[in-house]
Amino acid sequence: MSSLEQERIRINQKYQQFYDHIIPESVPMSLYLPYSFVADYAGVNLVEAQSDFTLLREAWLNLCEKLNIDKVPFSLPMVKEFLPAEPYQVLESRIFQMGKSGIVQHPEVSAMEAEEYPELIDHPFDFIIEKVIPRQYAAMNPKKPFEMVFSLLRMQQSLDKIMGETLPILMEINAKRPYYQSTEPFAGVLAPFDFISNWMRGFTNMTMDLRRHRTQITEACEAILPMIIQWGVPANSQGGGMVSMPLHMPTFMRTKDFEEIYLPTFKTEIEQFAACGLRPSIFCEDDWTRYLDYIQDWPAGCELTFEKGDPGQIKDKLGDKFILNGLYPIALLRTGTRQECIDKAKELLDIMMPGGGYVFGFDKGPISKADINIENLAAVLDFVNDYGHYDNAGEAYGQKLNSEGFVKDKRYFKPVASKYLTDWPEYREMFPLISERAKKNLEDYDRTIMKFFLGFLI
């Protein structure tokens, strides 16, 4: 066995131990550099790079050699959250648009009127298909069915092209470096309140709705909750995997509104993920200090990434129950000296490492090369690798995922009712010779289709 393979096995065992709540030999690390940063680092025009990602190959490989980390430090444009402009452009997107810098941005738009809450509540998936998506994507016009089909096919071809350009680079990187390679499923979803706020009502309208339509917001969150849960659960899930969700609105809400309107459906959502053996990976955007006591009631074993807050307070309140991530201020990598950056890493590790359950990570990712001094980043990663070793490796830490014993609630896993999805009795009447086994096949097809269309809105 080559030394590369031996090192890969060691790193994989490290992360497997960590997510089995065993203190590993050294602290895990998390870093994601988006393609916008890589293009800037490579000196490649970002607009040009999004039409041909092979232009970034050398920069990706170079950064892998430069940065001492044991997980791939990139968010390659192969998943929805990090897609470039082209798939959105062919659908004539209003919700994701390329700015002058070449970066895809999310302007505040509204695709739902306040008086339409009853429609969303009564038939949530139909409302999204018929009203929300056509308003967010001009090419998804049901009055022009053939143009819509052609646009969808173009989008799929664009996604295939992006995958064809980036997957070989990722495979090359993994062949040359002993990175951790997880085989567990991964999904990205939203809290019900955030889903309605981000992609239907918009921030400004949702803020007004909290005063004028409180009951309807609650009912709408409850109506879409089964879709959100099924969106995050992989097909034929046998347990294992991670569900990522950024939490956008809570820090802009009154605590009373968070407690009464946001929290109930979100808490049910993450409890159901835990019941399925899926670890919620939650990004607590902005400063969550006033909500730390509420977090203590979330399912054990969640991974929580914090942008702001007092590390000591977060560790004291949450460190015994959750995996903690984040908090290193990435702006310091731009403004600080090399030693200042290292000192900050040591300060954070000294607080967060004891007892285990900490992933060294940053408060946010850099968008362009100007956001950080790459030499400072490399120095910090080298320091964490040298300093972040445990003397008590092999001991248990924290509380394992779903220590509380949550169980799946069948109400949230029934096929979503919609005139666009299969009605099994009607389908069987149309095709009387069909096997009963086909029912599950059709349910799986419908669930995939539902996830595909919900994916337009994240």
Side-chain angles (χ1 to χ4, degrees):
M1 183 183 297
S2 69
S3 58
L4 180 67
E5 286 301 317
Q6 290 176 343
E7 182 66 5
R8 181 174 288 118
I9 290 172
R10 184 190 67 80
I11 290 171
N12 283 338
Q13 288 176 339
K14 166 184 170 177
Y15 281 88
Q16 288 164 5
Q17 281 184 317
F18 179 77
Y19 285 110
D20 198 32
H21 291 262
I22 297 172
I23 295 177
E25 59 184 21
S26 60
V27 65
M29 291 188 283
S30 176
L31 171 67
Y32 295 100
L33 303 176
Y35 65 82
S36 57
F37 175 90
V38 180
D40 198 16
Y41 178 82
V44 176
N45 180 278
L46 184 54
V47 176
E48 296 296 322
Q50 292 178 77
S51 295
D52 183 0
F53 279 94
T54 62
L55 296 173
L56 303 185
R57 174 183 171 275
E58 291 299 326
W60 268 316
L61 292 170
N62 179 272
L63 284 166
C64 285
E65 292 298 321
K66 191 176 190 68
L67 302 177
N68 185 14
I69 191 168
D70 49 20
K71 291 178 70 176
V72 176
F74 304 117
S75 297
L76 295 179
M78 296 188 296
V79 291
K80 188 76 177 175
E81 298 94 312
F82 305 103
L83 282 180
E86 186 177 89
Y88 297 120
Q89 289 171 340
V90 299
L91 294 180
E92 300 177 40
S93 172
R94 294 175 60 231
I95 198 169
F96 297 105
Q97 297 182 356
M98 183 192 287
K100 292 182 180 179
S101 65
I103 294 173
V104 175
Q105 300 171 335
H106 169 43
E108 183 182 354
V109 294
S110 178
M112 172 185 163
E113 301 298 328
E115 58 268 22
E116 292 178 320
Y117 271 109
E119 293 183 57
L120 173 62
I121 293 165
D122 289 343
H123 301 287
F125 186 68
D126 293 2
F127 181 78
I128 289 170
I129 293 294
E130 295 174 351
K131 300 289 182 66
V132 177
I133 289 178
R135 292 170 182 172
Q136 299 288 31
Y137 295 91
M140 295 294 291
N141 185 349
K143 295 180 180 179
K144 297 180 179 180
F146 289 106
E147 288 89 338
M148 182 170 65
V149 170
F150 272 71
S151 295
L152 283 172
L153 291 174
R154 289 190 190 99
M155 182 201 71
Q156 188 58 57
Q157 290 183 72
S158 178
L159 296 177
D160 291 344
K161 176 179 177 294
I162 293 167
M163 179 72 80
E165 291 172 352
T166 56
L167 185 57
I169 298 172
L170 181 61
M171 294 173 66
E172 182 179 1
I173 288 171
N174 278 315
K176 293 182 177 181
R177 302 283 298 181
Y179 288 126
Y180 168 59
Q181 296 175 319
S182 174
T183 58
E184 294 188 336
F186 177 90
V189 300
L190 291 174
F193 188 100
D194 282 328
F195 186 80
I196 296 170
S197 173
N198 289 6
W199 313 126
M200 298 186 196
R201 290 294 286 142
F203 178 87
T204 302
N205 288 333
M206 198 65 167
T207 302
M208 292 188 294
D209 289 352
L210 282 170
R211 298 192 300 272
R212 302 173 182 174
H213 303 282
R214 294 176 66 84
T215 300
Q216 289 181 314
I217 293 175
T218 297
E219 292 175 355
C221 287
E222 292 170 350
I224 68 171
L225 181 58
M227 288 195 311
I228 299 288
I229 291 173
Q230 292 182 41
W231 186 8
V233 176
N236 304 315
S237 174
Q238 301 298 315
M242 189 171 286
V243 185
S244 171
M245 55 195 81
L247 306 187
H248 296 299
M249 287 293 290
T251 58
F252 300 101
M253 302 170 69
R254 297 183 306 166
T255 302
K256 175 181 173 64
D257 294 337
F258 171 78
E259 180 180 0
E260 294 180 357
I261 300 177
Y262 188 103
L263 188 58
T265 48
F266 171 68
K267 192 164 180 286
T268 298
E269 176 187 2
I270 57 178
E271 287 172 355
Q272 286 301 297
F273 288 146
C276 293
L278 299 168
R279 188 183 307 277
S281 177
I282 301 167
F283 179 40
C284 298
E285 292 190 7
D286 199 34
D287 189 343
W288 275 66
T289 300
R290 63 186 163 114
Y291 294 134
L292 295 182
D293 289 340
Y294 291 92
I295 294 176
Q296 288 177 328
D297 291 330
W298 293 2
C302 291
E303 182 170 344
L304 309 174
T305 299
F306 288 93
E307 184 176 0
K308 299 177 181 179
D310 177 358
Q313 186 180 17
I314 291 171
K315 179 70 173 181
D316 289 342
K317 284 183 173 288
L318 306 176
D320 290 339
K321 187 174 182 180
F322 304 102
I323 294 172
L324 303 178
N325 193 337
L327 291 172
Y328 187 100
I330 203 160
L332 183 62
L333 298 178
R334 181 185 75 252
T335 61
T337 66
R338 180 179 184 277
Q339 191 58 48
E340 287 172 338
C341 294
I342 290 174
D343 290 346
K344 186 64 178 180
K346 181 179 184 300
E347 174 190 329
L348 197 56
L349 290 173
D350 286 344
I351 295 170
M352 304 299 286
M353 276 185 64
Y358 176 60
V359 179
F360 179 85
F362 298 86
D363 58 351
K364 58 176 65 72
I367 302 300
S368 68
K369 186 175 68 172
D371 290 339
I372 63 172
N373 178 329
I374 192 70
E375 301 303 328
N376 282 347
L377 173 60
V380 166
L381 296 178
D382 285 342
F383 172 79
V384 174
N385 271 291
D386 291 338
Y387 186 78
H389 284 263
Y390 285 101
D391 294 330
N392 58 336
E395 295 182 5
Y397 77 84
Q399 297 180 34
K400 289 193 174 185
L401 179 66
N402 199 24
S403 298
E404 305 89 341
F406 296 110
V407 296
K408 289 177 64 173
D409 188 329
K410 294 180 180 179
R411 292 177 298 170
Y412 301 117
F413 295 89
K414 293 179 181 178
V416 172
S418 168
K419 63 186 177 184
Y420 298 106
L421 302 176
T422 304
D423 182 301
W424 175 245
E426 289 183 3
Y427 195 88
R428 188 169 52 183
E429 185 175 339
M430 188 183 307
F431 302 103
L433 297 180
I434 195 167
S435 167
E436 190 68 25
R437 296 183 179 183
K439 180 180 180 182
K440 183 181 182 304
N441 295 340
L442 292 167
E443 289 176 352
D444 289 344
Y445 304 155
D446 282 353
R447 192 172 293 111
T448 299
I449 291 169
M450 183 183 70
K451 292 181 180 182
F452 173 79
F453 281 104
L454 293 178
F456 279 68
L457 303 176
I458 187 171

